Amino acid sequence: FRSWLVSTPAMAPKKEDPKKSAKSSGGGKAKKKKWSKGKVKEKLSNLVLFDKITYDKMLADVPKLKLITPSIISEKLKCNGSLARKAVKELLSQKLIRPILTHKSQCVYTRASHQ
């Protein structure tokens, strides 16, 4: 009547095969994944102040562009972003460009069409 104490073959502890245990224990010894160093972006050496040549280039070339943003000016003239924003203000004051969209982080301008 104490059938619940009797050990059945299904409940008996299984004995491990010595051949299988040697294979399965090698899991931690596998080669670890090597991480790539990642791509390193080269440092830009942009202008902090306009020199005469770059200033004249800005006045000549930028008003001819169809789409004008500080980032485009920064790339074309190799100047930093704050200098590009100052250039945009300078061009606006001279009425060489006109605003399309003004936003807190990015402003879009176009060439001034004479109407």
Side-chain angles (χ1 to χ4, degrees):
F1 71 60
R2 294 186 186 200
S3 62
W4 56 276
L5 284 176
V6 178
S7 173
T8 60
M11 296 176 77
K14 294 181 180 176
K15 292 181 181 176
E16 289 190 30
D17 215 9
K19 292 177 186 173
K20 281 188 177 179
S21 64
K23 287 182 182 176
S24 64
S25 67
K29 294 181 181 178
K31 282 190 174 180
K32 290 186 179 177
K33 182 177 185 267
K34 294 196 175 178
W35 292 92
S36 66
K37 299 282 190 276
K39 292 182 181 175
V40 179
K41 193 176 179 182
E42 65 181 67
K43 189 82 173 144
L44 298 173
S45 57
N46 289 341
L47 296 175
V48 185
L49 293 170
F50 277 131
D51 52 357
K52 180 73 175 144
I53 299 162
T54 315
Y55 184 78
D56 293 339
K57 192 175 176 184
M58 183 261 301
L59 288 175
D61 295 347
V62 175
K64 293 175 185 171
L65 298 172
K66 209 171 222 179
L67 178 72
I68 302 164
T69 62
S71 52
I72 289 173
I73 293 173
S74 174
E75 277 185 39
K76 287 215 182 279
L77 300 177
K78 301 283 185 262
C79 63
N80 67 2
S82 60
L83 193 60
R85 287 193 299 272
K86 299 284 186 196
V88 166
K89 285 182 184 176
E90 176 72 22
L91 292 169
L92 266 174
S93 67
Q94 294 181 18
K95 300 207 186 309
L96 293 172
I97 61 174
R98 63 183 174 91
I100 296 174
L101 175 113
T102 52
H103 190 264
K104 186 179 111 178
S105 56
Q106 186 76 21
C107 301
V108 180
Y109 301 90
T110 190
R111 55 189 169 206
S113 56
H114 300 287
Q115 295 173 353

